[in-house]
Every structure is written in structure tokens, then in C-alpha cells.
Amino acid sequence: MTDVARLAGVSVKTVSRVINNVATVDDVLAGRVREASERLGYRPNQVAASLRAGRATGTIGVLVKDVSNAMYATIVAGATSVAEDRKTRVITAHTGENSDAELAVIDDLCRRRVDGLLIVPSGGDHASLRQEIDHGVPMVFVDRAPSGLEADSVLIDNYGGSKSGVARLIASGHSKIGIILDKLSQQTMSERLAGAQAAFTEAGMSLDSDLIRTSVSNPAEAAAAAAELIQSRPAPTAFFCGNNRLAVGVLELLWDGGYDHALLGFDDIPHARLMPRPVSCIVYDSRVLGMIGAKLLFRRIDGEEFSPKTVTLPTQVIDYRGTHGDQYAAGRRA
């Protein structure tokens, strides 16, 4: 602002009044200020101005584990649609499955004075975040509840979704089901395994622990785990995967190997209806997940006070027959 004032031949106070659209500034002086600003490429620091005035900065942070995963991208899209209605900008950050990196990103965004944070948390202890919340940075957790911290959360019915999905496999005659999951330290994975176990218990059966593979983190590892299980005895006749990335790996293996195994995955698979063979998915609206989380966050930003709230989204099972359903079935019978 000092540089603009010097070039325009006016005071810094006059520059400030022009920037803030004060109507009483002389038109000639205002024109000189705008011309100087344009020549120097000056842009006012809205965050600094907001802090000086004691107002919100008009930004929120959204932290997700993997921006390349369609589920997390859709969560961001849902949150952004709510933020746009509030004239608020969204800063998106990728944290991976690393709790130290996640806490470092949260600390950085708090230093940037965002108005609030929407977080898809990794594992680890979140108790240290209580200090930031108490200092006026609201936080809402999505997909998973935080560990060691009572805070607003928007979750998925992991237990109920897995239970109903695996129950459908059992009802279709599958008593041997290979289960492939990421780390059980993740709340979502442990709940999804518990739901699968409950489905077997209700059916009066036992889940074969030899058919469970955990700490499987990507499609290639999922394909390798499924290949190993197919060679085991007794071998599974169906697979349940704990997320869509694992399901994609198993799907590729089954298709490439010409296997008949039924496949159920948690989370929708993009373009699943175009897959060349049948696959079932336990689905929910991840855009709504982001929207509800953002609306809850803005209630906190607006100063509402209430006990920590947990919202749980329902799931449903969708069966995709595949683009060549009849040909697939005929080929497998032959």
C-alpha cells in the first residue's frame, strides 16, 4: 500500500479508503490509486484485513487422504458446494494415511487462520486438536470419528452396510467368503469386519479366519491376496473387499483369470455399470457426506453451541450385472 501511495502521490490512508470502496474519495484521486495499483500488480490481503477487523477469513480447509480417489473427490465437491453458497473458499489438502503429516497440515491451516476444518482423519491420536478447537477453529470429522477427541462427526454405517452385504452373499449360497481389508487400526475397516462377522453369526455359521487378509493397501496387493486365497483349500467362492480400491484389484484378477467368484466391495466403483462382469457394491452418497459435514461446520463457525454431534449415513447394496451379463453367464456355464 505504501508503494501504491508513493506512485499515486497520495497518503496510505487514501489508498486504504479506495480499496475499501469508500464513496467520499475524490474521483481523480481514486483513479490515480487504481492506476498505480494496476501498474504495480497490487492486490489487497483479504485475510490480513479480516483479521484486523476481527472478521472471518472466508476460507475453510478440507483434508482428505487421497484426492485421486473418487470417493474423497466427491466429498470435497459436496463441501465446496455448501462453501460457495456461503461465499467461502475451500483449501483442499492431501494427507495420505499418515497421522504425523495430517497433524502438520492441520497446524499449517490453523496458522493460516482458516475459519474451520473438515477432516477425513487418518489413524493416530487427535487429542492435541482440542487446543485448536478451544482457540476458535471448529473441526468436523468425516468418514471416521477422531481418536481421543469428542467432536462433530459425519460417518457411514460401516457395520450395518457390511452386515447386509455379506448376508446377501450368504443367502446366495456362499459359505466361504474371502475378506480383504486395509489395516484394522482404521475404524472403518474394523467396523466392516465386525459387520461381516455378524452376518455369519446371524446365519448360524462361522467366518473362516483363514480366508481373511488385512493390511492390504492397494489394488495390486488386493489382487495378490485374492490369488493366494483362490489357491487355498477350502477356497472361497466369493470375495468381500473393504473399499473400492481393493475391489478394483480383485475385479481385475477375476476377469483376467476367468474366475466365477462373486464380488462385493464397500464404496461404489466408478463406472461399475460398464464393467464386463457382475460386481456388487455397498454404496452411499459421498457428496451428501461432504455437504452435511460442511453444513455442520458452518453452524460451528456461526457460533452455535451444542454437544458434539454424530450423523450416520445409511448404505445400500447395488448389483451391477456387467455390460455383457448374458454372454458372461453363458461363457461361465460352458
Side-chain angles (χ1 to χ4, degrees):
M1 289 178 67
T2 301
D3 293 336
V4 172
R6 184 181 300 113
L7 183 60
V10 299
S11 67
V12 173
K13 183 176 181 180
T14 297
V15 175
S16 176
R17 294 171 67 200
V18 173
I19 289 171
N20 289 289
N21 298 312
V22 176
T24 57
V25 179
D26 180 81
D27 289 342
V28 174
L29 293 181
R32 282 159 50 184
V33 168
R34 294 190 184 100
E35 182 181 354
S37 297
E38 189 66 29
R39 286 179 59 186
L40 293 174
Y42 170 75
R43 297 292 182 273
N45 188 329
Q46 299 293 350
V47 172
S50 297
L51 291 174
R52 284 196 300 269
R55 299 192 302 267
T57 61
T59 59
I60 62 170
V62 179
L63 282 72
V64 296
K65 295 184 300 177
D66 183 1
V67 293
S68 68
N69 188 309
M71 170 196 165
Y72 298 123
T74 309
I75 288 175
V76 173
T80 300
S81 68
V82 174
E84 286 176 345
D85 290 341
R86 293 286 302 249
K87 303 292 189 289
T88 297
R89 298 296 183 186
V90 173
I91 301 173
T92 304
H94 171 104
T95 61
E97 194 63 53
N98 186 313
S99 58
D100 290 336
E102 176 187 270
L103 292 176
V105 171
I106 291 173
D107 180 68
D108 179 69
L109 289 173
C110 287
R111 289 175 184 273
R112 294 173 187 269
R113 298 297 191 268
V114 293
D115 298 334
L117 292 170
L118 194 66
I119 303 168
V120 177
S122 63
D125 189 359
H126 296 91
S128 62
L129 298 181
R130 169 50 57 190
Q131 182 176 6
E132 296 292 352
I133 294 174
D134 290 344
H135 287 170
V137 183
M139 299 183 190
V140 174
F141 294 81
V142 177
D143 186 41
R144 306 176 186 176
S147 175
L149 175 69
E150 285 192 48
D152 300 322
S153 303
V154 184
L155 310 177
I156 303 158
D157 186 7
N158 297 298
Y159 176 88
S162 294
K163 181 180 175 182
S164 62
V166 172
R168 284 168 58 115
L169 289 177
I170 294 172
S172 297
H174 299 286
S175 59
K176 296 294 182 182
I177 300 174
I179 296 181
I180 300 176
L181 304 165
D182 207 326
K183 299 179 183 68
L184 291 183
S185 58
Q186 298 177 17
Q187 177 190 16
T188 51
M189 292 297 121
S190 61
E191 290 178 350
R192 290 169 191 180
L193 176 58
Q197 291 171 326
F200 273 88
T201 299
E202 279 200 2
M205 303 164 60
S206 296
L207 174 60
D208 189 344
S209 60
D210 291 336
L211 297 181
I212 301 175
R213 296 293 183 272
T214 62
S215 297
V216 181
S217 61
N218 58 57
E221 290 180 5
E228 178 190 347
L229 287 171
I230 287 173
Q231 298 304 315
S232 66
R233 292 294 178 268
T237 60
F239 286 98
F240 167 51
C241 297
N243 62 37
N244 53 4
R245 298 181 72 243
L246 304 184
V248 166
V250 175
L251 179 64
E252 291 176 350
L253 172 80
L254 297 179
W255 178 250
D256 291 343
Y259 297 112
D260 290 349
H261 298 67
L263 176 61
L264 170 70
F266 209 111
D267 306 328
D268 207 357
I269 298 176
H271 311 301
R273 63 178 56 85
L274 303 178
M275 296 295 175
R277 55 103 71 210
V279 59
S280 298
C281 296
I282 301 167
V283 304
Y284 50 91
D285 195 330
S286 52
R287 184 180 179 87
V288 170
L289 200 66
M291 293 176 68
I292 293 175
K295 289 178 180 178
L296 196 53
L297 181 62
F298 278 112
R299 288 178 60 187
R300 292 293 190 185
I301 291 171
D302 290 341
E304 282 194 51
E305 295 184 6
F306 46 88
S307 298
K309 182 182 290 292
T310 297
V311 179
T312 303
L313 264 63
T315 64
Q316 62 174 318
V317 180
I318 294 182
D319 298 317
Y320 298 107
R321 289 195 63 207
T323 55
H324 306 292
D326 294 338
Q327 297 92 322
Y328 170 86
R332 292 300 182 263
R333 285 196 297 270

